[in-house]
Amino acid sequence: MTKITHTAARLQLAKQRQMTSLIDQEILSHSTDMVFTKADWVPLYFDRGNKVTSDNGQMAAYRAMTLKGELLWMVFTPTKECGYHASCSDPFEAMERAKASWAERRAVRQEWDIVKSTARDLLTARQRFDVRIEDLVASPLCSLGIEGFRCAIGMQRVTRIPGWLAALLMKVEPQMGFVIHAAMKRHAATRELAQGAQLPA
């Protein structure tokens, strides 16, 4: 996907405001409402003046534009430093996706000691399994963050890596642990299936 300039991203984002003239859009594109962030490997601007709040007031979705020209919603809560990148057109759907993802992450974090132990085992060859693209998809991470990280490390075309490399990458990006957790589950399920097939009828 072709990259766009910071100026173009801000202007395209300003055009998402309802009932604004061309002159107002130009002014808005240079205003402090346009906030730049590179959180979770996704360089983008989000518009603090184009916000939708959840019914309970605990979540807010801001219209955003990446430097690849992708339009999305950035979802924030007061308790989280980083937001969730939601590639959908409806802000309430974006908040539901964020809520589901954060709930899954909390569940995985209950087993984080196991994830770290497995990563150590992978690095020392006490365990051996690969990590695949389907593990990325199965993890509770947002797709844009996943793709951003893959591009940053030059692996956007790679669909499978050895477990030791995934464990090494976890030292650079701790959220890789969520992907290792998904790979652990897939590997365990495959092993159980193979063991079941070997049992006598």
Side-chain angles (χ1 to χ4, degrees):
M1 187 175 289
T2 305
K3 290 185 178 181
I4 62 174
T5 65
H6 287 254
T7 300
R10 291 195 302 267
L11 183 57
Q12 289 299 316
L13 195 51
K15 289 180 178 179
Q16 299 302 309
R17 293 269 194 112
Q18 299 294 317
M19 306 295 290
T20 53
S21 67
L22 292 175
I23 293 176
D24 287 337
Q25 290 170 4
E26 182 67 31
I27 294 171
L28 282 169
S29 72
H30 295 284
S31 74
T32 55
D33 277 352
M34 301 297 169
V35 180
F36 182 69
T37 175
K38 294 189 290 186
D40 290 334
W41 309 91
V42 185
L44 58 75
Y45 282 91
F46 68 90
D47 183 0
R48 289 188 298 188
N50 193 349
K51 176 176 83 167
V52 177
T53 306
S54 63
D55 293 336
N56 63 8
Q58 295 301 304
M59 303 175 76
Y62 297 84
R63 209 55 167 140
M65 173 74 69
T66 73
L67 291 185
K68 291 183 177 180
E70 300 159 302
L71 196 60
L72 62 135
W73 290 95
M74 277 293 290
V75 182
F76 291 97
T77 70
T79 59
K80 294 191 181 297
E81 182 179 343
C82 295
Y84 179 86
H85 307 81
S87 303
C88 55
S89 58
D90 182 78
F92 292 100
E93 180 186 347
M95 287 185 272
E96 286 301 315
R97 288 189 188 184
K99 191 172 10 175
S101 174
W102 289 331
E104 286 183 54
R105 293 185 204 187
R106 283 194 299 272
V108 173
R109 286 200 181 279
Q110 296 298 313
E111 301 180 359
W112 205 247
D113 286 343
I114 298 173
V115 173
K116 291 193 294 185
S117 174
T118 300
R120 287 194 297 270
D121 285 352
L122 289 168
L123 283 171
T124 55
R126 283 195 292 267
Q127 289 193 55
R128 295 174 187 269
F129 58 82
D130 60 1
V131 175
R132 304 176 184 175
I133 189 69
E134 55 259 45
D135 301 320
L136 282 165
V137 175
S139 77
L141 302 176
C142 62
S143 58
L144 282 176
I146 289 169
E147 291 307 312
F149 181 58
R150 291 177 72 200
C151 288
I153 61 176
M155 289 188 173
Q156 60 268 43
R157 295 174 185 245
V158 177
T159 60
R160 178 185 300 195
I161 59 174
W164 66 263
L165 181 54
L168 195 62
L169 290 172
M170 186 178 167
K171 293 180 177 292
V172 177
E173 174 48 79
Q175 292 191 92
M176 193 70 186
F178 291 109
V179 185
I180 291 175
H181 182 270
M184 285 166 45
K185 290 174 63 178
R186 176 183 54 78
H187 179 65
T190 301
R191 187 172 53 201
E192 287 177 12
L193 188 62
Q195 289 173 346
Q198 293 172 2
L199 293 175

